């Protein structure tokens, strides 16, 4: 092409960079986050608020990809709601109390465990405060918009006071009580735990034992049908346990009344033994049975008593009870269950009903106390029950007249402290509990009003609520909100409306740390009614479960949140604690111990509950410190995860080059493209695909910003323009529907498919000639705006950058609205500009696309045979094999050459299948069959009819090297304008 013709073309001119410019990113992030949040808070209607309540991340350590997944999902939802015309309220929060922070400051301090509670709290507050700021800056770098200035933490005074008020309200309703009973106890953390703080190790190995305990003499008078049996024989009850260390706390043996037990002799042991032998079994893991002497019902055994060799005088006649318990099973163990109500939940319930005490001779660190073996305290005292405790107990029983029949290692599922990753025990202590059993039905009813995404989340949350009757809310830690209890000299707790009101008033004045710093008997903490007995009272040192902390965060607003969104592990954590505390506070109490409500609408703290999975590495493995596969969000954004810098002496290639800063859009697009309802993978293969999609978006944005012209706003619209607008309308409806249903991966798939197939492969190809050589018409501006609207929730930084590089004439147009601020459904083009009825175009699209596909297929074969280069170097004949079969295309005949990007299109009728004369004699021809209206037709690709225009390259010029008619007129007009400027 000659230089003079090139100067007459309108080639794309855009300064939009091929890759993000690092030095510009900060200003774009600021505009699309802080500035945008402030704008929407001022400009979207106050009576149409959308509240996404933040599930607080823990203020302990650096963020990883999982944190990014959570915060970015929330941000995308908020941005969708702004597009829908709603005012978003999103105030981020942080969970700041609890064991991990306390442990970190204790480990880092000199003196470690000798730190005072006040010293721990001071160091913990400092650590949490600095972590909140660091994490906030990281979240901002992900382009997350929020009311950062008004962020909240669970260690804010106002938050703590609201939490104490919630505790007070639950206490008023009889839902808070203190009791000595077994709880989950973590020796590694030295505190009680809730179910939500446990994880289960499927490969835990315990040392199990079959132990025989002697029945008190006189049993012969109780059990009938044993004629001929030696009346002086000793009888033993055989129990099986996986926790031999609990035997010093044994208080009873449980049987089941309706089960049948056998009296047997073991080949290698003297005496008689009571066991349950399942039907058809030879005794399983029991010692070898030499003789079965008789049968007896469990109901008879409850008339017997037995002795615990570790605790009892073996000549005693009183002994310990054998009781009925429904949890006893006959298909495992011996059918006789050793009950230590101080170390087992079922044991406790069975024994409590009979007045049997819950005894536990284990201290806070999981070591036996001197009371565990009173005959010789030194033999067990101080031994960790989980590390040598079972061995020590078995040694004692083995040495005491051979009470151990068998020992075997047993692999089974066992609860662990999810923070320390170490096994826990069940231990009876005095703890504070919330009665959630009495509000269970209301909580379950409230969930009927909730939308769950995914739907399986409902079953999961319901299961946790159904399986819980009480919640241990006290912890033996220093860093937390105190249980507002006062104790007298006898250890009796005072928790009244008056005392809590007074404690809260003192906290307002002195701040919460004073609870630990002030003198233990400072009368200022006592209400007026107790002031004259100040010396008798002390403040309690227990703190509240951190799930009570974060679970009370709903109290910050008087309205129900539209959305709660967290990881799937929060069904047993924050989701559950939030639901239970809100229901507990809001249900109407009819009578002490009972509750009811006539309306569950709004009782749940959330209208919609969304859960996401966890992040996995490229091999599908869960990220963990021990595996060394944790990926930070920064590794994605700075490009170091995708691009490996070349090693010294290694040539730089495609796979190893200096990292390219991808920015937050790559991180966000990875999340938006993944099905977050399950676990999602992050690694090079996934990120490589994300990068390619981003490059495609940048390429097309560069094309738009360099090609949009003001003249296009008044230019007539072609059929191709109308098709493009219909395709835009359809994809926006599809994407909008997916966004509204929180299905971001489906939205991204639809958007990407539209960009590749409809915009790049079809519309831009049809438009290039008109853009560069014609009137620069088309509908690029509406498509540009539509594209940016669809990208806005996912890649706001890219949208901000694209808008910054829009043509100057668009910057000068004050009527244009920034894409982030546009309503998603706002019109993209004035209806008066449409020259075709939408219904007509829609009906024509299948035929147009069918012919287009056939022409492309035939053209590709011509290229392979090297007879065709550009598609403009051919003409096309469409042959109808049915009368009027291509009438739908005839209607647009004058525009078909531009739509199909060829130099000429003819439509002819075939008679009897003969080759049309328009095709005969062609130097070369390629054909492809296509279908319209259920009838087959043929597209022929043939040599061009005329000469190549040196300006537009279409073969429509009358003679060699001459301009075509259209180009001649354009050049003449261009020359006239140039002359005027001179």
């Amino acid at each position: 092409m000659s230089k003079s013709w090139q100067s007459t073309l309108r080639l794309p001119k855009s300064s939009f960079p091929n890759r993000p410019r690092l030095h510009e990113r900060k200003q774009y992030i600021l505009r699309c986050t802080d500035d945008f949040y402030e704008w929407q808070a001022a400009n979207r209607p106050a009576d149409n608020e959308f509240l996404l309540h933040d599930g607080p991340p823990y203020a302990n350590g650096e963020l990883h990809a999982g944190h990014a997944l959570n915060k970015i999902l929330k941000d995308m939802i908020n941005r969708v709601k702004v597009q829908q015309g709603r005012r978003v309220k999103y105030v981020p929060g942080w969970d700041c109390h609890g064991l991990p922070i306390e442990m970190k400051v204790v480990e880092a301090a000199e003196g470690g465990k000798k730190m005072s509670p006040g010293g721990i709290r001071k160091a913990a507050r400092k650590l949490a405060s600095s972590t909140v700021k660091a994490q906030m800056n990281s979240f901002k770098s992900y382009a997350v918009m929020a009311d950062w200035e008004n962020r909240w933490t669970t260690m804010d005074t106002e938050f703590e006071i609201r939490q104490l008020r919630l505790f007070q309200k639950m206490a008023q309703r009889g839902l808070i009580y203190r009791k000595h009973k077994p709880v989950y106890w973590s020796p590694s953390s030295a505190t009680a735990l809730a179910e939500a703080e446990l994880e289960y190790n499927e490969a835990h190995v315990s040392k199990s034992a079959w132990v025989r305990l002697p029945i008190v003499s006189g049993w012969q008078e109780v059990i009938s049908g044993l004629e001929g049996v030696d009346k002086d024989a000793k009888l033993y009850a055989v129990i099986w346990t996986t926790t031999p260390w609990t035997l010093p706390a044994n208080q009873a043996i449980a049987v089941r009344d309706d089960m049948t037990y056998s009296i047997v002799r073991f080949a290698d042991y003297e005496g008689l033994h009571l066991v349950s032998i399942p039907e058809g079994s030879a005794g399983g893991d029991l010692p070898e049975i030499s003789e079965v002497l008789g049968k007896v019902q469990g109901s008879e055994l409850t008339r017997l008593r037995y002795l615990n060799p570790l605790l009892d005088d073996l000549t005693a006649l009183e002994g310990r009870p054998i009781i009925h318990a429904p949890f006893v099973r006959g298909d495992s163990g011996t059918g006789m269950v050793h009950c230590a109500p101080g170390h087992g939940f079922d044991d406790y319930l069975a024994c409590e009903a009979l007045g049997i005490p819950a005894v536990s001779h284990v201290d806070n660190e999981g070591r036996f106390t001197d009371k565990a073996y009173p005959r010789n305290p030194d033999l067990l005292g101080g031994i960790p029950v989980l590390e040598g405790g079972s061995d020590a107990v078995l040694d004692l029983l083995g040495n005491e007249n051979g009470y151990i029949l068998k020992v075997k290692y047993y692999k089974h599922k066992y609860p662990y402290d999810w923070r320390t990753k170490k096994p826990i025990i069940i231990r009876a202590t005095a703890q504070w509990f919330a009665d959630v059993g009495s509000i269970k039905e209301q909580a379950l009813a409230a969930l009927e009003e909730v939308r769950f995404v995914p739907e399986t989340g409902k079953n999961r949350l319901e299961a946790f609520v159904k399986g819980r009757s009480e919640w241990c809310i006290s912890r033996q830690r220093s860093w937390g909100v105190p249980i507002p209890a006062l104790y007298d000299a006898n250890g009796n707790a005072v928790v009244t409306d008056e005392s809590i009101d007074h404690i809260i008033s003192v906290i307002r004045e002195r701040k919460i740390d004073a609870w630990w710093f002030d003198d233990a008997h400072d009368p200022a903490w006592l209400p007026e009614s107790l002031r004259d007995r100040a010396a008798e009272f002390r403040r309690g040192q227990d703190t509240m479960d951190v799930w009570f902390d974060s679970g009370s965060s709903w109290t910050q607003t008087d309205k129900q949140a539209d959305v709660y969104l967290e990881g799937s592990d929060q069904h047993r954590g924050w989701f559950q604690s939030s639901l239970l505390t809100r229901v507990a506070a809001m249900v109407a109490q009819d009578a002490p111990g009972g509750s009811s409500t006539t309306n569950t609408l709004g009782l749940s703290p959330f209208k919609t509950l969304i859960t996401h999975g966890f992040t996995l590495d490229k091999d599908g493995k869960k990220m963990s410190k021990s595996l060394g596969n944790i990926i930070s969000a920064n590794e994605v954004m700075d490009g170091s995860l995708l691009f490996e810098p070349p090693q010294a002496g290694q040539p730089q290639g495609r796979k190893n080059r200096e990292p390219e800063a991808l920015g937050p859009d790559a991180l966000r697009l990875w999340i938006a493209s993944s099905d977050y309802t399950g676990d999602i993978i992050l690694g090079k293969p996934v990120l490589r695909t994300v990068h390619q999609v981003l490059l495609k978006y940048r390429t097309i944005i560069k094309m738009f910003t360099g090609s949009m012209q003001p003249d296009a706003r008044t230019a007539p619209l072609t059929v191709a323009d109308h098709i493009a607008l219909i395709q835009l309308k359809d994809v926006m409806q599809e994407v909008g529907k997916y966004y509204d249903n929180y299905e971001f991966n489906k939205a991204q798939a639809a958007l990407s498919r539209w960009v590749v197939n409809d915009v790049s492969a079809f519309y831009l190809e049809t438009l290039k000639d008109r853009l560069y050589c014609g009137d620069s018409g088309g509908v690029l501006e509406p498509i540009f705006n539509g594209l940016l609207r669809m990208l806005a929730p996912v890649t706001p930084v890219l949208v901000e950058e694209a808008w910054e590089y829009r043509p100057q004439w668009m910057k000068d147009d004050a009527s244009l609205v920034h894409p982030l601020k546009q309503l998603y459904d706002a019109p993209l083009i004035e209806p008066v500009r449409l020259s075709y009825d939408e219904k007509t175009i829609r009906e024509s699209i299948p035929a147009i696309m069918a012919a287009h596909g056939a022409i492309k297929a035939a053209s590709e074969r011509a290229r392979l045979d090297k007879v065709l280069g550009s598609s403009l170097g051919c003409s096309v004949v469409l042959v109808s094999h049915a009368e009027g079969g291509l009438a739908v295309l005839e209607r647009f005949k004058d525009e078909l050459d531009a739509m199909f990007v060829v130099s000429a299109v003819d439509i002819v009728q075939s008679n009897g299948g003969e080759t049309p004369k328009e095709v005969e004699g062609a130097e070369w021809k390629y054909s492809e069959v296509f279908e319209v209206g259920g009838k087959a037709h043929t597209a022929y690709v043939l040599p061009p009819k005329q000469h190549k225009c040196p300006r537009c390259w279409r073969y429509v010029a009358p003679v060699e090297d001459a301009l075509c008619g259209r180009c001649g007129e354009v050049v003449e007009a261009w020359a006239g304008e140039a002359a005027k400027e001179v």
Side-chain angles (χ1 to χ4, degrees):
M1 180 182 295
S2 67
K3 184 177 180 181
S4 59
W5 299 139
Q6 184 169 352
S7 64
T8 68
L9 301 178
R10 284 182 168 176
L11 297 175
K13 294 180 181 178
S14 174
S15 56
F16 183 79
N18 294 324
R19 289 177 172 79
R21 291 172 177 163
L22 189 59
H23 67 277
E24 297 177 345
R25 184 192 301 170
K26 188 174 181 179
Q27 62 172 317
Y28 297 145
I29 290 178
L30 181 63
R31 290 182 201 167
C32 71
T33 55
D34 293 2
D35 293 352
F36 181 55
Y37 187 89
E38 184 179 347
W39 176 88
Q40 66 86 31
N43 290 276
R44 291 294 189 247
D47 60 354
N48 192 18
E49 185 179 81
F50 177 82
L51 172 61
L52 196 159
H53 184 54
D54 197 25
Y58 198 62
N60 179 34
E62 296 180 355
L63 302 179
H64 52 71
H67 291 100
L69 167 64
N70 178 270
K71 271 293 190 286
I72 289 172
L73 280 173
K74 293 172 182 175
D75 188 65
M76 292 192 296
I77 291 172
N78 283 334
R79 291 178 185 277
V80 167
K81 295 306 173 183
V82 174
Q83 286 188 321
Q84 293 173 350
R86 302 189 67 176
R87 177 184 290 187
V88 164
K89 183 177 181 181
Y90 178 57
V91 184
W94 273 267
D95 199 350
C96 293
H97 291 134
L99 183 64
I101 291 176
E102 182 168 335
M103 288 179 65
K104 183 173 282 191
V105 299
V106 168
E107 290 170 0
E110 291 185 17
K113 293 184 179 181
K114 295 181 180 179
M115 285 182 74
S116 67
I120 289 173
R121 291 185 64 83
K122 184 176 180 181
R125 186 178 296 278
K126 182 178 180 181
L127 173 61
S129 297
S130 63
T131 303
V132 165
K133 291 178 181 178
Q135 290 187 356
M136 181 177 69
N137 289 333
S138 293
F139 286 138
K140 285 184 173 184
S141 73
Y142 308 158
V144 173
M145 67 169 188
D147 187 358
W148 298 108
E149 290 301 312
N150 291 309
R151 62 188 181 275
W152 56 271
T153 76
T154 56
M155 62 182 181
D156 294 340
T157 298
E158 288 305 314
F159 187 99
E160 292 168 330
I161 288 174
R162 281 193 298 269
Q163 181 176 334
L164 290 167
R165 288 294 184 197
L166 175 60
F167 177 94
Q168 181 183 30
K169 185 173 289 188
M170 292 174 66
Q172 288 171 347
R173 297 184 171 183
L175 298 175
I176 301 292
Y177 58 91
R178 187 170 185 255
K179 196 169 186 179
H180 183 274
K181 61 177 296 182
V183 295
Y184 294 115
W185 186 273
S186 172
S188 56
S189 300
T191 186
L193 299 178
E195 171 71 33
E197 296 171 291
L198 306 180
E199 60 185 18
Y200 287 85
N201 182 348
E202 302 279 352
H204 182 84
V205 176
S206 297
K207 181 174 282 189
S208 67
W210 285 258
V211 182
R212 61 179 186 170
L213 302 175
I215 300 295
V216 171
S217 60
W219 58 269
Q220 298 89 341
E221 300 171 10
V222 175
I223 301 176
S224 59
L226 295 177
E227 293 76 9
V229 175
D230 181 1
K231 298 299 182 180
D232 295 324
K234 289 185 178 180
L235 180 63
Y236 298 88
V238 180
I239 61 99
W240 174 71
T241 178
T242 60
T243 56
W245 62 266
T246 62
L247 287 168
N250 170 266
Q251 298 295 305
I253 291 176
V255 297
R256 210 171 73 206
D257 286 349
D258 60 349
M259 280 177 54
T260 301
Y261 293 81
S262 299
I263 300 178
V264 304
R265 292 187 192 276
F266 291 135
D268 299 325
Y269 296 91
E270 53 81 23
L272 308 181
H273 299 83
L274 283 168
V275 294
S276 170
I277 304 176
E279 193 71 31
S281 167
D285 283 320
L286 289 170
E288 181 184 348
I289 297 173
S290 61
E291 185 180 2
V292 177
L293 301 176
K295 304 282 187 179
V296 61
Q297 284 299 111
S299 55
E300 283 191 78
L301 297 182
T302 58
R303 296 162 59 195
L304 301 175
R305 298 183 77 82
Y306 76 99
L307 299 169
N308 183 338
L310 294 171
L311 303 172
D312 300 328
D313 179 353
L314 296 181
T315 63
L317 297 177
E318 184 176 348
R320 298 170 186 270
I322 296 178
I323 65 174
H324 162 75
F327 61 77
V328 177
R329 294 169 50 188
D331 58 353
S332 65
T334 67
M336 307 190 80
V337 177
H338 137 63
C339 286
H343 294 293
F345 300 127
D346 290 337
D347 301 10
Y348 173 79
L349 293 175
C351 292
E352 182 190 34
L354 300 172
I356 300 172
V359 175
S360 173
H361 301 308
V362 179
D363 65 17
N364 289 355
E365 295 183 347
R367 300 174 184 273
F368 281 125
T369 67
D370 290 345
K371 293 181 180 181
Y373 191 53
R375 291 180 202 164
N376 190 342
D378 292 340
L379 293 181
L380 288 182
I383 297 176
V385 297
L386 292 175
E387 299 173 9
S390 288
D391 286 338
V393 169
L394 292 175
D395 285 345
L396 283 176
L397 288 170
N399 295 330
E400 295 277 353
N401 300 318
Y403 293 108
I404 306 302
L405 299 176
K406 186 177 180 180
V407 175
K408 183 179 180 180
Y409 286 105
Y410 179 65
K411 181 179 178 181
H412 61 126
K413 180 179 177 181
Y414 193 87
Y416 275 53
D417 183 331
W418 75 342
R419 295 187 181 94
T420 63
K421 310 301 180 185
K422 293 183 178 180
I424 61 98
I425 60 175
I426 295 172
R427 173 186 178 229
T429 61
Q431 299 290 341
W432 289 93
F433 296 89
D435 173 14
V436 295
S438 62
I439 60 169
K440 186 181 300 185
E441 294 306 315
Q442 287 79 12
L444 292 171
L447 294 182
E448 294 300 317
E449 307 293 334
V450 175
R451 176 188 176 189
F452 287 84
V453 180
E455 293 180 358
T456 52
K458 181 180 181 182
N459 293 335
R460 185 172 169 82
L461 183 52
E462 281 183 338
F464 282 115
V465 173
K466 288 177 181 177
R468 197 174 200 180
S469 60
E470 62 183 7
W471 171 12
C472 178
I473 61 170
S474 53
R475 296 293 180 271
Q476 288 63 55
R477 310 310 309 174
S478 300
W479 178 229
V481 176
I483 300 280
L486 303 169
Y487 296 87
D488 65 17
N490 296 318
N492 299 312
V494 175
V495 176
T496 64
D497 246 11
E498 180 196 17
S499 67
I500 297 176
D501 274 340
H502 184 75
I503 288 169
I504 290 175
S505 70
V506 178
I507 288 174
R508 282 195 181 278
E509 178 186 347
R510 300 186 178 185
K511 303 306 179 187
I512 206 162
D513 285 345
W515 181 268
W516 282 268
F517 286 123
D518 287 357
D519 182 79
H521 299 286
D522 187 337
W525 289 96
L526 300 180
E528 192 65 35
S529 61
L530 301 179
R531 198 71 59 82
D532 59 341
R533 299 163 55 199
E536 298 179 30
F537 287 92
R538 62 178 176 81
R539 299 184 299 281
Q541 297 298 293
D542 290 342
T543 56
M544 292 192 207
D545 176 14
V546 291
W547 291 118
F548 199 100
D549 288 18
S550 58
S552 64
S553 62
W554 59 267
T555 60
Q556 295 178 100
T557 177
D558 58 0
K559 63 176 288 188
Q560 193 181 27
D562 290 284
V563 166
Y564 270 38
L565 183 154
E566 295 300 324
S568 55
D569 58 333
Q570 295 307 315
H571 288 111
R572 69 173 187 172
W574 185 59
F575 295 154
Q576 186 183 181
S577 66
S578 298
L579 173 69
L580 294 175
T581 54
R582 183 173 168 95
V583 172
M586 295 183 67
V587 292
Q589 296 291 112
D590 287 342
S595 61
S596 67
T597 180
T598 57
N599 182 19
T600 59
L601 188 63
L603 199 53
S604 165
F606 36 77
K607 297 177 184 177
T608 297
L609 188 67
I610 304 175
T611 51
H612 61 76
F614 298 97
T615 52
L616 310 177
D617 67 14
K618 62 182 177 61
D619 298 318
K621 295 178 181 177
K622 186 178 178 180
M623 295 185 188
S624 68
K625 290 182 180 178
S626 60
L627 292 177
N629 62 347
I630 291 179
I631 298 173
S632 72
N634 285 338
E635 290 177 80
V636 176
M637 294 193 296
D638 65 18
S640 59
L641 179 61
L642 181 59
F643 303 110
E644 292 183 9
Q647 302 298 315
Q650 181 184 18
Q652 182 169 305
R654 291 178 60 188
K655 291 186 178 180
N656 52 70
R657 68 187 203 209
E658 290 301 324
E660 172 188 319
L662 303 180
D665 288 328
L667 185 67
R668 297 173 67 97
L669 188 58
W670 158 63
I671 293 167
S673 302
S674 304
D675 181 2
Y676 65 82
T677 59
D679 295 340
I680 65 175
I681 290 177
L682 177 58
K684 286 184 183 179
V686 174
L687 200 54
R688 192 172 293 118
T689 300
V690 168
H691 185 229
Q692 290 168 351
V693 172
L694 270 178
L695 288 178
K696 181 68 177 178
Y697 288 156
R698 297 191 72 85
T699 300
I700 204 166
I701 288 172
K702 188 177 182 73
M703 168 74 177
F704 279 132
T705 54
S707 302
M708 290 184 291
Q709 299 291 340
D711 298 346
R713 290 181 171 180
T714 55
L717 301 185
T718 65
V719 175
D721 295 334
H722 283 79
I723 291 174
L725 289 173
I726 287 173
Q727 291 172 333
L728 173 62
K729 178 181 178 180
D730 290 349
V731 75
M732 288 193 70
Q733 286 179 347
E734 184 179 9
V735 168
K737 180 191 71 173
Y738 288 138
Y739 279 163
D740 201 39
N741 286 324
Y742 313 111
E743 297 175 300
F744 297 103
N745 62 316
K746 293 181 180 179
Q748 289 312 299
L751 175 56
S752 183
R753 187 168 55 248
W754 169 75
V755 167
V756 172
N757 297 337
D758 296 340
V759 180
S760 296
F762 177 71
Y763 185 61
L764 290 184
E765 286 299 312
T766 70
L767 194 63
K768 281 180 182 177
D769 175 69
R770 188 180 183 192
L771 282 178
Y772 303 164
C773 307
D775 63 0
S776 299
V779 288
L780 286 186
E781 187 181 357
I783 294 175
F784 176 69
N785 277 302
L787 171 64
L788 296 189
R789 285 186 197 175
M790 289 185 281
L791 289 174
V794 177
T795 57
V797 180
L798 176 61
V799 171
E800 193 68 55
E801 185 182 11
W803 195 245
E804 176 67 21
Y805 283 93
R806 68 194 185 278
Q808 186 59 46
W809 63 270
M810 291 180 70
K811 293 181 179 179
D812 295 338
D813 186 347
S815 69
L816 294 182
V817 178
H818 193 294
L820 294 179
K821 301 175 182 178
Q822 295 175 19
L823 291 172
Y824 189 82
D825 292 331
L828 287 165
I829 191 168
E830 292 293 333
V832 295
R833 291 196 60 202
L834 303 178
S835 50
Y836 286 101
D837 175 63
E838 182 178 320
K839 184 173 181 291
T840 300
I841 298 295
R842 282 194 180 277
E843 292 173 348
S844 305
I845 288 176
I848 292 171
M849 293 304 171
H852 182 255
I855 293 167
K856 290 190 75 170
S859 298
E860 190 58 35
R861 293 202 302 277
R863 286 192 187 91
L864 291 174
D865 290 343
K866 301 190 184 304
V867 298
L868 179 65
S870 166
S871 61
L872 291 173
C874 72
S875 61
V876 170
V877 174
L878 301 178
V879 180
S880 172
H881 298 298
E883 189 67 35
L886 295 180
V888 66
L889 297 181
E890 288 273 9
R891 188 183 308 157
F892 311 120
K893 185 176 182 301
D894 293 342
E895 297 186 40
L896 293 180
D897 56 347
M899 270 195 284
F900 299 150
V901 197
V902 297
S903 288
V905 177
D906 291 312
I907 301 175
V908 300
Q909 188 74 40
S910 171
N911 297 316
E914 296 178 359
T915 302
K917 64 180 185 338
E918 289 84 355
V919 176
E920 290 181 348
E923 180 182 350
W924 47 264
K925 60 177 178 287
Y926 294 84
S927 64
E928 184 75 18
V929 175
F930 65 101
E931 191 174 290
V932 173
K935 302 292 184 181
H937 308 282
T938 305
Y940 285 94
V941 172
L942 309 169
K945 299 180 186 179
Q946 294 181 279
H947 300 280
K948 182 178 182 180
C949 172
R951 181 172 179 272
C952 68
W953 292 7
R954 295 180 302 154
Y955 285 76
V956 290
V959 295
E960 190 79 24
D961 291 332
L963 294 178
C964 65
R966 189 273 312 270
C967 285
E969 294 175 1
V970 172
V971 169
E972 184 177 347
W974 174 82
E977 291 297 323
K980 288 180 183 178
E981 292 179 8
V982 172

